[in-house]
Amino acid sequence: MNFNLSKYLTDKQNLVNQYLKLILHQYDNRHELIMAMEHSLMAGGKRLRPILAMAAAQACGKDFLIALPACCAIEMVHTYSLIHDDLPAMDNDDLRRGLPTCHKKFSEATAILAGDALLTHAFNIISDPQQIFNIYPGYKTRIKLISKLSKAAGIQGMVQGQMLDMQSFQLKQDNDIDHLKNIHALKTGQMITLSVEAGAISVGSDLRTIDKLIVYADKIGLAFQVMDDILNIEGDPSIMGKAAGSDILNDKMTFPAIIGLEASKQYAKKLIDSALESIDELDEKAIPLRAIAHYIINRDH
């Protein structure tokens, strides 16, 4: 079966963008807060996390449209994290997706509040989806999605991972590679795993299938970060939309810094092979998930 991943990604990106615009356009975009939220949320982006959620729902043989509330909420939380990561107190970046970062376009205070607004409104989108969406999961499923998202984004997930990442500048662990894996499992991996799990949960998948999908997601999540580290060295800034080489300049703990560039590439491939093996039993409905795994290892931004 021929599968056009490029068309699949574009179609799903357009769908997610359509609903994100509907969410924002509920509010007066003449207000600086809304303008700042829109600047970052609609700046482009791969929309990888919501696409993974839809692909997981599809792999379960169900209508992926029911996963759209979770998809949009996840992308809003992801964008909030990018706004805050870019702040002077964190990574101090000037560019994001080829555009000025939120605090550069507006102000540091506005960027903080825009991130806060995206984070908090994401939970409203899941809890009260009828304001935007025609189909959505039932009440009990939505409560489960809120619980999963809050855990993946918070002190047991992304925020703790960011904290550990910041501390890694000052602290050198006895076993750097294990510490680095833990940072990325929390900072990046939790939200990628949550995306896949949320798609399956949204459509009421069975636990056995969800377990297989979680293994897949854990592997591609770490591979995604390994590739990020590699692209920070080898990537083209004009394609990536942000500066390359910043990790080296900042003496940041990365996979290439610890195990070397070639070993990092081999490790990323091993993770992807393991991810694909975990969903071997799933039929042709999982073709998008398989294609996305290959895309992660071959991407240039």
Side-chain angles (χ1 to χ4, degrees), residues 162-216:
Q162 179 66 33
M163 188 71 196
L164 291 174
D165 194 27
M166 289 169 56
Q167 290 175 334
S168 71
F169 284 96
Q170 293 87 32
L171 303 175
K172 292 296 181 183
Q173 305 296 316
D174 291 334
N175 192 343
D176 282 351
I177 193 65
D178 288 341
H179 183 58
L180 183 60
K181 287 178 183 178
N182 184 47
I183 289 173
H184 292 318
L186 294 168
K187 182 181 176 183
T188 306
Q190 285 273 3
M191 286 295 291
I192 287 179
T193 299
L194 178 273
S195 300
V196 172
E197 189 178 5
I201 289 172
S202 292
V203 297
S205 178
D206 63 275
L207 292 177
R208 185 170 181 271
T209 301
I210 290 175
D211 286 344
K212 291 180 180 298
L213 290 170
I214 287 173
V215 173
Y216 162 88

Side-chain angles (χ1 to χ4, degrees), residues 8-164:
Y8 183 87
L9 294 176
T10 299
D11 289 347
K12 296 299 183 287
Q13 284 169 354
N14 290 339
L15 182 62
V16 172
N17 288 340
Q18 173 189 338
Y19 279 91
L20 291 174
K21 286 178 183 175
L22 287 174
I23 290 167
L24 289 173
H25 291 173
Q26 291 180 296
Y27 304 96
D28 189 343
N29 65 3
R30 293 172 298 180
H31 294 160
E32 184 170 337
L33 177 63
I34 307 303
M35 285 192 289
M37 292 167 68
E38 186 162 13
H39 171 77
S40 293
L41 189 61
M42 306 309 300
K46 295 178 284 292
R47 308 303 192 203
L48 177 64
R49 289 155 188 80
I51 291 172
L52 280 168
M54 287 184 275
Q58 187 177 336
C60 298
K62 304 292 179 63
D63 185 354
F64 66 83
L65 292 176
I66 201 170
L68 273 173
C71 291
C72 291
I74 288 166
E75 190 65 14
M76 291 166 75
V77 171
H78 174 59
T79 303
Y80 125 77
S81 75
L82 300 181
I83 292 173
H84 282 196
D85 280 359
D86 290 336
L87 289 168
M90 305 281 270
D91 291 344
N92 194 23
D93 282 319
D94 295 341
L95 284 177
R96 171 70 68 177
R97 295 168 175 168
L99 296 173
T101 48
C102 195
H103 69 276
K104 286 291 183 181
K105 175 73 174 179
F106 297 93
S107 70
E108 191 172 345
T110 297
I112 291 169
L113 292 173
D116 292 345
L118 286 167
L119 172 62
T120 51
H121 197 55
F123 293 99
N124 180 258
I125 293 303
I126 297 179
S127 64
D128 193 20
Q130 58 268 28
Q131 57 188 310
I132 298 291
F133 303 93
N134 293 322
I135 59 172
Y136 42 83
Y139 175 76
K140 288 184 179 179
T141 301
R142 299 203 306 272
I143 293 295
K144 188 173 185 179
L145 288 167
I146 288 170
S147 175
K148 294 280 186 180
L149 178 54
S150 63
K151 180 179 178 181
I155 58 174
Q156 298 180 74
M158 182 176 64
V159 172
Q160 173 67 353
Q162 179 66 33
M163 188 71 196
L164 291 174

